[in-house]
Structures are given as C-alpha cells and as structure tokens.
C-alpha cells in the first residue's frame, strides 16, 4: 500500500462536517458571496460519497449560476433532472435560466415543448413557460440565415417590431439589451431613453442600457434617473463602469489596508464594491469619500463574518470621518437587498 493511500485512509472526519459545510455554503449564498458558497458546497457534496443530495446540489447549482459558471451549473441541473432529485419544477426553472444565459434557445424550446406536451405544468407556471417559449422562438428566428439575409428594415423586426423592453420580464430584458451591442439601436433610442429616465426600472438593467448607448457612441445628453438621483450624461464621454476615479480610489484604500494582511477579505470587499458600482453607475456612493466608502465596505464584510467592531474604529483606520460612516453604510446595506435580475 502506498504511503499516500495509507494517509488518506487514516484521515478522520469531524462529525457532521458535511452539514457544517452546507450551512456555511448557504450562509455565503444568502450574503451574495457566491464564490465562497461554491467552495463550501462543493466540499459538502464531496462528503456525500456519491449519494445524491438534492439540497446540496441545488444550492451548488444556484451558487454556480450566480457566479456565472453557467456550464457547470447546467451539468448539475441535468443530473438532478435525470435522477429525479429535488423539486422538479424548481430545477427546471433554474435550468431554463441557465440555458437563457448560454443562448441555447433550441434546448429551451425543446424542453418547454416537452413539458407542455406532458400537461403536468402547474397553472401558476404555465404563463411563464409560454412566454419563455415565445421568446426563444423569436431568438431562433432572428438568428436564422433567411432572416440575416434580409435588408435593414426587415432586420429590425427581429426585436419584436421595434418594441424592445416593454412587457417583458427582467431576464428577457437583460438578454435583449446584451444583444444590442451588434444591432442598429436607432429604432430603439426613444425607448432606451425612456427606460433610463424611469427610476422604477431595475438599476442593473439601466446600467446595461446606458452601456449600450456608450458602446454605440451616442454623443448627445441623455437623462438618467436611478434610485433618488437624476442627471444628464453624454454616454460617449462616460468612463467604463470600473474605470472611474471613485471606484479606483476605493480599491486603493482597501488594498492598502487589507490587501496584504487579509487578501481573502479584500477580494470579498471588492466583490461587493463591483456589484454596487454596477448598480449605481454612473453615480457614486452618495455622501461618501473613497476613504469613507472603503471603511463602510470593510465594516459590512466584518459584520458578515460575525466580527463586532465599532464603526468608529474602522473609520479611524482609514482616516475617515468617524461620524459619517453610518450614512454610506446604510446605502450599502440597501444595495445588498437588490437581487440580481439574472436568476
């Protein structure tokens, strides 16, 4: 027997270690720390010793999806569906959203048609599946050779007769906005501008819409209203989402204070900063200097870890206003309540 194999056989696992890994993974998932959730859920799954564990596998599929590891998430969903593990329609919902991100509309169409033919779809999900089926059929039609050969006027029909976002759910809106990078957007400019002015729209999608205008070098002022902020911007003159001075200075502050001493904490803080920067764009965190913002992110992440540190102490560490940290911290907490539209 090799020494390595003998050592592996001598490993003694702590009692309930699988359950502990699962609990930690779910906690990370609830806190939107998706990469950490994947790490612990994978450990829990390894301790299942090949036995199907629907709770772990479903949670892992969600964590992989949220961390944009779509192909891995797809494989897990396929295995769950094949083995009949977990809530069938919860798995199907996630599987279809993954296929949507992968632009696998043919698979979406065949999956939904099979479900409808079985006539076992719950009534509350029927309309959702039918809309998704129609959307995928339109996407397949738009990508077919005969449509691509049409002239410009006919090409605009690919995106629902020049009505782009109205009446669609957030997943459909996100996919359509992503497709506009290679489209003629002028038939949709009026709708995109109205979308940006409506602060009831999802801020993630508003950022996508603004980026579309920037990529197409729109050089005239556009009004954007997001959260409680309103301004006019010229899309072609905007910095990239993660290239503005405020974001860069926050990163530098965090890197200086914890980048070397606690790189894991630094990475997790930056994950929050990036998500919130995307939601806020083109605005900055209100009522906060970069030092104050960095201190607030540091403090929130310590809270997630269960570490009780006085806010004033963290603010002092960054040379920031001790009394002022509570306002940006409240904004950050509110931003954490906004879930991703990509579910």
């Amino acid at each position: 027997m090799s020494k390595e194999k003998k050592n592996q056989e001598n490993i003694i696992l702590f009692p309930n270690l699988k359950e502990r890994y699962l609990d930690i993974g779910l906690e990370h998932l609830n806190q939107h720390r998706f990469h950490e959730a994947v790490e612990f859920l994978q450990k829990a799954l390894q301790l299942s010793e090949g036995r199907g564990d629907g709770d772990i596998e479903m949670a892992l599929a969600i964590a992989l999806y949220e961390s944009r590891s779509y192909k891995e998430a797809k494989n897990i969903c396929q295995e769950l569906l094949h083995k009949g593990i977990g809530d069938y329609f919860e798995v199907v919902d996630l599987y279809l959203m993954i296929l949507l991100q992968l632009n696998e509309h043919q698979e979406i169409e065949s999956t939904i048609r099979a479900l409808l033919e079985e006539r076992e779809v719950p009534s509350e999900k029927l309309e959702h599946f039918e809309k998704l089926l129609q959307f995928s059929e339109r996407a397949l039609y738009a990508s077919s050779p005969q449509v691509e050969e049409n002239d410009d006027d006919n090409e605009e029909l690919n995106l629902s007769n020049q009505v782009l976002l109205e009446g669609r759910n957030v997943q459909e809106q996100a996919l359509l906005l992503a497709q506009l990078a290679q489209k003629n957007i002028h038939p949709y400019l009026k709708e995109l501008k109205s979308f940006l002015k409506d602060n009831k729209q999802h801020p993630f999608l508003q950022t996508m819409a603004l980026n579309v205008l920037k990529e197409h070098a729109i050089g005239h002022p556009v009004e954007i209203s997001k959260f409680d902020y309103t301004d006019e911007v010229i899309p072609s003159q905007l910095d990239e989402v993660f290239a503005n001075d405020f974001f860069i200075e926050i990163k530098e502050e965090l890197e200086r204070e914890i980048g070397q001493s606690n790189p894991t904490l630094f990475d997790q803080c930056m994950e929050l900063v990036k998500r919130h920067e995307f939601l806020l764009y083109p605005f900055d965190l209100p009522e906060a200097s970069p030092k104050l913002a960095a201190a607030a992110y540091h403090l929130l992440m310590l809270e997630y870890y269960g570490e009780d540190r006085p806010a004033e102490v963290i603010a002092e560490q960054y040379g920031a206003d001790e009394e002022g940290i509570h306002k940006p911290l409240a904004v950050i907490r509110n931003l954490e309540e906004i879930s991703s539209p990509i579910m």
Side-chain angles (χ1 to χ4, degrees):
M1 179 183 298
S2 70
K3 183 177 180 181
E4 181 180 353
K5 185 174 182 181
K6 184 176 181 180
N7 288 338
Q8 289 175 346
E9 291 178 351
N10 288 336
I11 293 174
I12 300 175
L13 297 177
F14 291 105
N16 301 319
L17 185 58
K18 181 183 76 171
E19 289 74 16
R20 179 60 179 152
Y21 281 148
L22 175 59
D23 289 342
I24 295 173
L26 292 175
E27 184 178 349
H28 284 319
L29 188 58
N30 289 332
Q31 293 173 354
H32 296 178
R33 290 152 57 186
F34 302 120
H35 294 289
E36 290 80 4
V38 169
E39 178 184 350
F40 282 95
L41 292 168
Q42 285 177 333
K43 290 179 179 179
L45 190 60
Q46 288 171 0
L47 293 177
S48 296
E49 298 178 347
R51 296 189 296 271
D53 194 317
D55 290 339
I56 297 175
E57 290 181 272
M58 187 61 179
L60 178 57
I62 293 171
L64 287 166
Y65 177 85
E66 294 288 0
S67 61
R68 291 171 171 73
S69 299
Y70 299 124
K71 290 185 179 180
E72 293 178 62
K74 175 187 173 182
N75 291 337
I76 292 177
C77 285
Q78 286 177 326
E79 184 175 347
L80 288 171
L81 292 170
H82 178 71
K83 294 180 178 178
I85 299 173
D87 185 298
Y88 180 75
F89 282 101
E90 283 186 13
V91 179
V92 167
D93 273 340
L94 180 59
Y95 181 57
L96 291 172
M97 291 304 100
I98 292 167
L99 294 175
L100 196 61
Q101 292 306 310
L102 293 171
N103 288 324
E104 296 186 8
H105 295 286
Q106 189 67 59
E107 180 65 18
I108 292 174
E109 183 184 32
S110 60
T111 299
I112 294 178
R113 287 196 180 282
L115 289 171
L116 296 176
E117 287 172 5
E118 292 171 4
R119 299 187 179 182
E120 295 181 1
V121 178
S123 57
E124 67 272 14
K125 292 185 178 293
L126 185 59
E127 184 179 357
H128 168 66
F129 285 155
E130 288 176 341
K131 283 186 176 180
L132 189 54
L133 175 61
Q134 292 169 6
F135 177 75
S136 288
E137 286 174 338
R138 287 197 299 268
L140 287 169
Y141 173 77
S143 63
S144 64
Q146 62 268 29
V147 174
E148 291 176 356
E149 291 171 1
N150 286 341
D151 59 27
D152 289 342
D153 291 336
N154 289 333
E155 184 184 50
E156 301 309 330
L157 297 176
N158 295 346
L159 291 176
S160 189
N161 296 319
Q162 301 181 12
V163 175
L164 184 70
L165 303 173
E166 184 180 350
R168 305 185 190 278
N169 62 40
V170 291
Q171 291 90 358
E172 293 173 340
Q173 290 175 331
L175 183 59
L176 286 168
L177 287 168
Q179 291 176 339
L180 281 183
Q182 307 301 323
K183 297 285 184 181
N184 173 16
I185 67 166
H186 289 283
Y188 313 107
L189 272 177
K190 183 178 179 180
E191 184 182 357
L192 289 170
K193 290 177 180 179
S194 296
F195 188 78
L196 288 170
K197 289 170 62 174
D198 184 0
N199 67 1
K200 294 183 177 62
Q201 300 296 340
H202 199 294
F204 184 98
L205 298 179
Q206 286 183 303
T207 296
M208 290 186 70
L210 187 56
N211 271 330
V212 167
L213 300 187
K214 175 177 171 55
E215 289 172 5
H216 284 270
I218 299 301
H220 55 264
V222 172
E223 182 180 332
I224 179 165
S225 183
K226 181 183 286 194
F227 301 108
D228 296 326
Y229 326 124
T230 300
D231 198 4
E232 274 195 349
V233 300
I234 298 177
S236 63
Q237 296 179 6
L238 289 172
D239 291 325
E240 299 293 339
V241 178
F242 304 127
N244 67 80
D245 292 340
F246 192 79
F247 173 83
I248 292 170
E249 289 181 44
I250 293 175
K251 182 178 180 181
E252 289 174 349
E253 290 290 336
L254 288 167
E255 198 161 25
R256 180 166 52 250
E257 294 300 327
I258 58 176
Q260 297 299 320
S261 60
N262 195 335
T264 299
L265 182 63
F266 169 74
D267 288 342
Q268 291 169 344
C269 283
M270 286 308 303
E271 191 172 310
L272 289 186
V273 175
K274 287 179 179 178
R275 183 161 66 247
H276 297 169
E277 183 73 15
F278 197 88
L279 290 173
L280 286 167
Y281 183 78
F283 304 105
D284 294 325
L285 195 68
E287 300 187 69
S289 66
K291 288 180 180 292
L292 203 55
Y297 279 108
H298 187 168
L299 181 62
L300 182 62
M301 190 54 65
L302 290 175
E303 288 181 7
Y304 284 166
Y305 273 107
E307 295 187 29
D308 186 15
R309 301 264 193 97
E312 293 76 12
V313 171
I314 300 298
E316 184 179 3
Q317 180 180 342
Y318 286 81
D321 176 15
E322 298 176 12
E323 296 298 324
I325 193 172
H326 298 285
K327 288 184 179 180
L329 187 60
V331 175
I332 290 170
R333 286 196 175 107
N334 287 335
L335 290 172
E336 277 295 271
E337 295 298 318
I338 301 174
S339 61
S340 167
I342 313 299
M343 303 181 211

